[in-house]
Amino acid sequence: VNAVLDPASLQALEGVAQEHGLARLGAVALDHPGFSPARVALDEFLARGLAGEMAFLPRSAAIRREPARMLPEARSILVALVPYDGEPGPIARYAQHADYHTIVHRRLLRVERALLDRIPDARTLVCVDTKPILERTAAVLAGLGFLGKNGCLIAPGLGSYVLIGCILTTAQWTGANASTSNPPWDACGSCRACLDACPTQAFDSPGRLDPRRCISYLTIEHRGSIEDILADRFGDRIAGCDACQEACPYNRSSARTERVPAGSGLPAPPGPRRDVDLARLATLGNNQHRSFVRGTPLDRIPRRAFRRNALLALGNAAGPVGADERAAIERGLLDGDAQVRAAAERARRRRLDRGSD
Ligand code: B12
Ligand code: SF4
Ligand code: SF4
């Protein structure tokens, strides 16, 4: 007899989830027909080379399509959401907190424990972000929200500033399938605020992002050179981008307390408060870099990419050049790394040459 995850069990687990800082919990069977269009979208995405330098995407595509390759006989996914807040600024909101991978993982372990207590025959695998699961699609099909034209999962009452975590399980979900009769991005209606707000016009069409033009990809994942035509649009962003979420009416209406229920936000990173001083970040030494990124999702960004990003942002700044900014740009010109040098060269052209005439 197969292990079974029924609606009563899900309801009990939802209680556990909420107690442990997971604002929503839903379930979806892996044979839900709604995964088909998402697999097609993934195949098209990969075929067009949109993964850019994200080699992990093509490498893990077969598992992303068929998660049972990670956990034999997997039949369902439990999907949880963790809302977050933050301030507009050079670092995207999700990265202003302690690393969500660790936090969401830890919270999911409590739900996993409760699931195994209730369904001892089940096997499980906790997956947060880095495991190849189509997380946004799973969240939609588990009934937790819908996809916006910005590609993000938007959860009613929470908006899109939510992170997704999953538990893959061999237990069979026996509850109803969430409907997929609505076409994607249907709930957006005629709105296209996110598409228009994207500084680099990175959307090919609603819901279809070309990461190679996306500031989030370029600042976090991309190590090669960045064309001026794109860098000119970064503004002061050095790690991620929230412009297509800032523009979204679904993120505007509710008060912070409503969006981030008590006990389910993300805690601050460990250590002292991080000051985002571009001149300092452009000249980060090894130890300074380690302590700046430690315990946050920023630790994906190597030191030289961080320095490159800060130099690009320095190049985009306006107004008189401070002595510390000048020193940072001049130091960058002598750097051993070609991308750091190129970013410093751009900042010199835009800030120093102009400042001295
Ligand atoms: C690679 C990646 C990126 C890349 C590429 C993003 C992209 N749009 O493809 C880059 C670096 C650009 C990126 C940026 C960001 N990311 Co990211 N990223 C991922 C990651 C690891 C894989 C995504 C992926 O597979 N992309 C390939 C595309 C094709 O898949 P997709 O985005 O899931 O889109 C699916 C839908 O469009 C669906 N679909 C299409 N048509 C239809 C039709 C129907 C009916 C259905 C049901 C589905 C469907 O199919 C696609 C998959 O096949 C996921 C984690 C994960 N394991 O899923 C996080 C994830 C998507 N990222 C996340 C976040 C927070 C961000 C940023 C907001 C971070 C920031 N502030 O800078 C930005 C947002 C940019 C944007 N507007 O999308 C969250 C999203 C949460 C949410 N509310 O949606 C995730 C889920 C991480 C997490 N665990 O919480 N990211
Ligand atoms: S994250 Fe920024 S650059 Fe990327 S699609 Fe959204 S608005 Fe555009
Ligand atoms: S800004 Fe408008 S189009 Fe974009 S996701 Fe939000 S509602 Fe949809």
Side-chain angles (χ1 to χ4, degrees):
V1 186
N2 288 335
V4 163
L5 174 68
D6 58 18
S9 301
L10 178 64
Q11 206 181 359
L13 295 177
E14 234 179 310
V16 177
Q18 273 163 11
E19 241 172 77
H20 295 290
L22 299 165
R24 300 274 192 281
L25 189 73
V28 54
L30 281 174
D31 60 5
H32 191 305
F35 279 109
S36 307
R39 287 192 198 102
V40 172
L42 175 67
D43 289 345
E44 280 171 13
F45 178 94
L46 295 174
R48 293 183 54 209
L50 302 187
E53 290 182 14
M54 297 181 284
F56 64 91
L57 284 173
R59 200 167 48 225
S60 62
I63 310 177
R64 226 171 267 273
R65 279 190 214 101
E66 201 189 318
R69 288 171 182 249
M70 257 190 302
L71 177 71
E73 291 166 57
R75 291 193 176 79
S76 319
I77 310 179
L78 279 162
V79 190
L81 303 184
V82 172
Y84 58 94
D85 56 11
E87 304 299 327
I91 294 179
R93 286 167 178 74
Y94 82 97
Q96 295 172 14
H97 307 276
D99 193 346
Y100 70 92
H101 298 90
T102 327
I103 308 285
V104 179
H105 195 271
R106 205 179 295 147
R107 292 178 185 177
L108 283 170
L109 289 178
R110 312 299 285 261
V111 178
E112 182 188 47
R113 185 69 265 153
L115 184 150
L116 293 173
D117 285 347
R118 226 183 142 90
I119 318 172
D121 295 344
R123 280 176 294 115
T124 49
L125 182 67
V126 172
C127 306
V128 183
D129 190 60
T130 51
K131 292 253 169 49
I133 297 245
L134 295 169
E135 293 183 330
R136 286 167 159 170
T137 300
V140 171
L141 300 178
L144 300 184
F146 58 89
L147 295 174
K149 288 180 188 171
N150 58 11
C152 295
L153 173 84
I154 301 177
L158 297 176
S160 70
Y161 293 123
V162 289
L163 297 159
I164 307 174
C166 298
I167 303 176
L168 188 61
T169 176
T170 55
Q172 176 76 52
W173 167 239
T174 57
N177 270 351
S179 149
T180 49
S181 54
N182 289 343
W185 16 106
D186 192 53
C188 295
S190 60
C191 177
R192 45 171 291 126
C194 52
L195 310 180
D196 295 338
C198 174
T200 50
Q201 294 294 292
F203 293 96
D204 287 329
S205 61
R208 306 276 186 242
L209 175 69
D210 182 346
R212 299 167 308 175
R213 303 204 299 276
C214 171
I215 297 169
S216 183
Y217 165 77
L218 291 167
T219 52
I220 299 172
E221 305 285 347
H222 183 76
R223 311 284 171 250
S225 62
I226 298 177
E227 288 174 72
D228 279 359
I229 196 171
L230 292 170
D232 291 354
R233 313 305 303 271
F234 282 20
D236 64 355
R237 298 179 186 83
I238 59 165
C241 168
D242 285 328
C244 55
Q245 297 189 86
E246 280 165 358
C248 180
Y250 284 104
N251 288 331
R252 261 189 246 132
S253 50
S254 23
R256 179 190 171 276
T257 46
E258 200 183 318
R259 277 198 290 109
V260 185
S264 66
L266 293 175
R273 222 185 105 86
R274 287 159 169 72
D275 283 326
V276 185
D277 173 340
L278 291 180
R280 188 174 153 264
L281 293 179
T283 52
L284 277 185
N286 256 327
N287 291 341
Q288 292 167 311
H289 171 254
R290 261 201 301 278
S291 73
F292 194 84
V293 302
R294 193 171 54 90
T296 80
L298 299 172
D299 72 0
R300 271 196 80 74
I301 310 181
R303 185 169 70 104
R304 61 195 172 89
F306 225 101
R307 295 174 55 204
R308 171 202 67 185
N309 296 348
L311 283 162
L312 292 176
L314 276 180
N316 288 340
V321 187
D324 53 344
E325 293 183 328
R326 177 179 291 276
I329 295 169
E330 283 170 353
R331 244 179 90 179
L333 292 170
L334 304 172
D335 199 87
D337 182 81
Q339 304 307 331
V340 172
R341 274 201 312 279
E345 183 55 41
R346 172 177 173 278
R348 183 185 64 73
R349 279 197 313 274
R350 297 173 57 117
R351 301 290 305 288
L352 303 189
D353 292 356
R354 217 173 279 174
S356 56
D357 51 42

